[in-house]
Amino acid sequence: MKSTYIKISLLVCLISSFYSCDDYLDILPEGQENSENFFNSPSDYEDALVGVYDLLSTTYLNNILAEIASDNSLCGGDTPTDVLDWQQIDDMVHTADNGALRNIWQWMYAGISRSNYIVEFKDKIDFEGKDKILAENLFLRSYFYFELVKFFGDVPMYIDGRISVEETQTIDRTPTAQIYSQLETDLLTAIESLPWSQPQEGRVTKGAALALLGKIYLYQNKFSNAVVVLDQVIDSGQYDLVNNYGQIFINSNENNEESVFEVQYFGGEGASFDCFQCVEGNIAVGFMGPRFTGGNFAPFTSGFSFNVPVADIFNLYESDDTRRDHTILDMDQFLAERPDVTISEGNEHTGYFNKKYIPYAEANIPDVNLTHSNNYRSIRFSDVLLMAAEAYNRGEISDAQARTYLNRVRDRAFNDMGSGAHDINLSGTALTDAIWLERRLELAGEGHRFFDQVRTNQTNTIPGFNPSTHVLFPIPRIEIELAGNRWQQNQGY
């Protein structure tokens, strides 16, 4: 919904300790619409749904932290204290007082609260197309809850409607298994009413819901279930790999045939350093760009040099793997080709930058560093193929099918055009390792790596990682206090 920007009134805001309603919420004058007399027309439901979509923009933080926390990248920035919350996560010294983690907690619950407002009044009126709106809403709520579970594990779950301040002090953390069960139920319900394609780019489709469900199954090692739903996406004929890997992430090729679900960003309005939740642009992009100081560095523009890839990931690619140079910008090579360009190296300079989400020069306002229009490719078809390959292999269902899906991704990476020159012919655990390696290479820089490492027990390469503590992030301390100190903190914090 890149072209749509609305301000949601206080009626969408959950007045609770889970999050605060900041200045992105406009309070209506007395006597105008309120939460109880809303939802009187299809457009009311549609407007409220746009409000739920709007909170997807805040997931830029989830995605950049999932790379910084992994072995793919260092935090970077200007100095070792630049955005200290991110630096602490990179160094694995974060605590329950980390502000970035609290932002994730608040913003994901803000999305859930907006979604639950629709759920509370889902039966108020009937109209054609309501089932699809409710299905999109269930997907979005599942998306926000899945993000919370990945970061924090057991979290308070409420699904029936808004919640009062008093009720927040009576809710316990819900076991992860119970949350996953609810998400499975919600997504299966949503799938029934979702179309394979939508008239507006960025809206949830049947394929997106099937893919998210497949990922949730994979995170629980429910491999047979994952195969069933992921194969539906693969066999649907709705998606395919973009022939040229380098074309996937350019701004002129958004919502392409490889995009199963894509978070829409708009560079024309919204956001400031005083209101990150007001964002309509992709904040992470500006933070990840090189700090150019002079010369002609078009088509790129300058950034703040965060989330810098390490040499290990650059060197992991084979020399003829086309993905490397479209995933990572080699600054030494770039500067050698443009001797007039200068940069400020900054903290933890590795010489590499995330090229998938690099800032392009564009007419972005009001702050060029915060409102870049690069969409976030949340679920790509190659991700679906690799998830299905893993499920077929680890579920001991069919290594042959797993290899077919894996090699389909590799054929594109090496421009093999079906020749099989770089095909993997392994089986068993060796094939598992090959699939996991392929996920790292294919999805580097896209915010999946840390959680892939955690779920597959490959965290030994993360500097400072303590497996008895860092599998989950801490529940924000202030949220525990606001909930009456009834929640036990995650282990190690």
Side-chain angles (χ1 to χ4, degrees):
M1 292 185 163
K2 178 174 289 191
S3 62
T4 306
Y5 178 75
I6 65 171
K7 288 196 179 275
I8 305 302
S9 67
L10 187 62
L11 57 88
V12 179
C13 178
L14 172 66
I15 309 297
S16 78
S17 61
F18 287 137
Y19 73 100
S20 61
C21 299
D22 294 296
D23 54 358
Y24 68 100
L25 298 174
D26 293 333
I27 301 176
L28 288 168
E30 184 177 356
Q32 294 190 20
E33 288 177 337
N34 59 53
S35 61
E36 305 307 317
N37 64 24
F38 198 62
F39 294 116
N40 296 312
S41 68
S43 63
D44 287 346
Y45 284 85
E46 185 68 33
D47 287 348
L49 181 64
V50 173
V52 186
Y53 274 103
D54 197 50
L55 264 296
L56 286 174
S57 66
T58 66
T59 58
Y60 79 87
L61 182 58
N62 310 33
N63 306 327
I64 195 170
L65 289 183
E67 286 294 313
I68 288 172
S70 78
D71 59 358
N72 276 353
S73 301
L74 299 175
C75 183
D78 186 28
T79 68
T81 58
D82 193 4
V83 190
L84 186 58
D85 292 332
W86 297 9
Q87 304 285 352
Q88 291 171 347
I89 290 171
D90 180 31
D91 296 334
M92 290 290 146
V93 295
H94 49 273
T95 70
D97 296 311
N98 186 281
L101 295 176
R102 191 184 182 208
N103 281 338
I104 290 174
W105 179 278
Q106 290 177 308
W107 292 342
M108 296 308 96
Y109 271 115
I112 290 166
S113 299
R114 292 184 179 189
S115 176
N116 278 343
Y117 179 52
I118 296 175
V119 170
E120 182 176 343
F121 290 93
K122 63 184 176 64
D123 297 322
K124 188 173 182 183
I125 65 170
D126 289 320
F127 57 91
E128 185 178 355
K130 188 176 78 168
D131 288 347
K132 185 169 74 72
I133 288 176
L134 296 180
E136 291 179 55
N137 189 52
L138 283 180
F139 170 93
L140 294 171
R141 187 176 70 178
S142 299
Y143 191 96
F144 292 129
Y145 266 126
F146 185 46
E147 290 297 310
L148 285 169
V149 169
K150 288 192 302 181
F151 273 89
F152 304 110
D154 302 349
V155 295
M157 181 174 66
Y158 59 102
I159 58 174
D160 296 326
R162 295 164 298 173
I163 185 169
S164 68
V165 174
E166 293 76 14
E167 288 172 316
T168 65
Q169 307 221 348
T170 66
I171 297 176
D172 293 319
R173 294 174 66 184
T174 304
T176 297
Q178 186 176 335
I179 296 174
Y180 277 147
S181 179
Q182 182 64 51
L183 302 190
E184 292 169 14
T185 298
D186 287 347
L187 288 169
L188 287 169
T189 299
I191 287 164
E192 295 178 359
S193 299
L194 286 169
W196 281 106
S197 62
Q198 291 269 26
Q200 187 176 14
E201 292 178 338
R203 297 194 73 142
V204 178
T205 63
K206 188 185 295 290
L210 286 165
L212 180 59
L213 179 59
K215 181 165 287 193
I216 289 171
Y217 283 143
L218 191 65
Y219 268 64
Q220 300 173 85
N221 295 335
K222 293 183 176 180
F223 302 121
S224 297
N225 301 75
V227 160
V228 170
V229 296
L230 293 172
D231 270 350
Q232 290 182 58
V233 181
I234 295 167
D235 296 338
S236 68
Q238 299 292 317
Y239 310 100
D240 202 355
L241 298 176
V242 172
N243 287 333
N244 184 342
Y245 191 86
Q247 298 296 306
I248 298 172
F249 296 95
I250 59 175
N251 286 7
S252 60
N253 196 29
E254 294 174 333
N255 302 299
N256 55 57
E257 65 265 34
E258 190 162 338
S259 177
V260 180
F261 185 63
E262 192 161 313
V263 177
Q264 311 294 300
Y265 284 102
F266 177 51
E269 65 179 313
S272 71
F273 282 95
D274 296 323
C275 187
F276 280 156
Q277 66 268 47
C278 304
V279 67
E280 292 297 313
N282 191 337
I283 289 179
V285 172
F287 273 86
M288 291 189 288
R291 291 175 181 261
F292 291 114
T293 56
N296 178 18
F297 40 83
F300 309 132
T301 188
S302 190
F304 297 135
S305 68
F306 284 91
N307 190 25
V308 289
V310 296
D312 284 350
I313 180 63
F314 183 85
N315 295 330
L316 197 59
Y317 290 94
E318 297 177 54
S319 60
D320 54 346
D321 189 333
T322 63
R323 294 174 297 191
R324 186 192 68 184
D325 294 338
H326 295 302
T327 298
I328 301 171
L329 176 65
D330 182 340
M331 186 51 65
D332 287 342
Q333 179 180 346
F334 185 83
L335 294 177
E337 295 170 351
R338 304 190 187 195
D340 65 312
V341 175
T342 56
I343 65 166
S344 173
E345 293 187 352
N347 178 52
E348 297 179 319
H349 180 71
T350 64
Y352 302 111
F353 292 90
N354 185 345
K355 195 173 182 180
K356 290 179 176 177
Y357 290 105
I358 196 165
Y360 288 94
E362 56 183 333
N364 46 346
I365 54 176
D367 191 309
V368 296
N369 295 117
L370 299 181
T371 53
H372 287 283
S373 62
N374 310 53
N375 283 359
Y376 173 61
R377 282 70 166 172
S378 176
I379 306 175
R380 291 197 288 119
F381 187 56
S382 61
D383 186 7
V384 173
L385 289 169
L386 292 173
M387 287 193 291
E390 182 178 338
Y392 268 107
N393 165 249
R394 294 183 65 198
E396 300 181 349
I397 300 167
S398 172
D399 277 356
Q401 188 63 63
R403 287 191 294 269
T404 296
Y405 289 155
L406 170 63
N407 289 327
R408 187 172 173 183
V409 175
R410 287 181 61 81
D411 281 352
R412 193 262 302 272
F414 292 93
N415 287 330
D416 280 345
M417 307 302 290
S419 70
H422 291 83
D423 279 4
I424 297 293
N425 296 305
L426 302 170
S427 299
T429 56
L431 178 57
T432 307
D433 290 338
I435 293 168
W436 287 344
L437 173 60
E438 204 65 30
R439 283 191 63 82
R440 185 180 186 189
L441 297 172
E442 175 70 21
L443 303 172
E446 298 180 47
H448 302 291
R449 177 61 179 167
F450 176 76
F451 297 111
D452 271 350
Q453 289 186 272
V454 168
R455 72 176 181 82
T456 59
N457 297 312
Q458 298 183 92
T459 55
N460 61 306
T461 55
I462 301 175
F465 187 93
N466 183 343
S468 65
T469 300
H470 296 136
V471 168
L472 296 173
F473 291 96
I475 303 294
R477 185 189 314 278
I478 192 171
E479 301 298 338
I480 293 177
E481 293 172 353
L482 289 170
N485 291 304
R486 65 182 298 110
W487 304 335
Q488 184 175 352
Q489 182 58 272
N490 285 333
Q491 181 177 337
Y493 299 104

